[in-house]
Amino acid sequence: MPSIPAIVALTGLGATRFFAFACVSSSRDFFSRVVSVHPELENELAVPGVFTRYGPIRPSYMRYLKQGRHNRLEDPLLQAQGRRILQLLNAHAISFVVFVLGALWWAA
């Protein structure tokens, strides 16, 4: 029977992967809609360099959401989608911490 630390670590890993996928797919849809409404943001939200490494979403997307600029959009559905992506990012961070702590507990 698997140990509790192993279950915690594997559950954290699964949740981290799920939330990462949800962040990626949601942010692609959200930011394509934002750029279609505000084409002047296309350069600001551009893809980073070829060898740039980042988390589940682009750094420019993260900066846009963390600054709360999605709350200034006219469309209430886009505002809600931006808030939902922020919630997914927070859940991703929490699940990653659970995974790391579970893996350390399992290794101890």
Side-chain angles (χ1 to χ4, degrees):
M1 179 162 169
S3 65
I4 292 176
I7 293 170
V8 169
L10 294 175
T11 302
L13 178 63
T16 299
R17 293 180 65 152
F18 170 78
F19 287 123
F21 177 75
C23 288
V24 168
S25 61
S26 295
S27 67
R28 282 184 183 160
D29 176 55
F30 173 74
F31 284 103
S32 67
R33 291 176 60 199
V34 167
V35 169
S36 70
V37 173
H38 297 284
E40 68 275 5
L41 293 175
E42 187 170 2
N43 289 335
E44 182 182 340
L45 300 172
V47 178
V50 176
F51 297 109
T52 303
R53 295 186 53 140
Y54 49 90
I57 66 172
R58 295 179 191 171
S60 58
Y61 291 179
M62 179 76 78
R63 192 171 32 258
Y64 183 89
L65 292 169
K66 290 290 184 178
Q67 291 173 350
R69 293 172 57 188
H70 61 281
N71 290 323
R72 295 184 223 136
L73 296 170
E74 297 83 27
D75 186 358
L77 294 175
L78 282 177
Q79 291 177 3
Q81 190 175 8
R83 284 190 296 272
R84 192 169 35 257
I85 294 169
L86 269 177
Q87 290 171 345
L88 287 170
L89 285 168
N90 288 331
H92 177 265
I94 291 168
S95 65
F96 182 74
V97 169
V98 168
F99 163 65
V100 169
L101 293 176
L104 289 172
W105 183 22
W106 189 10

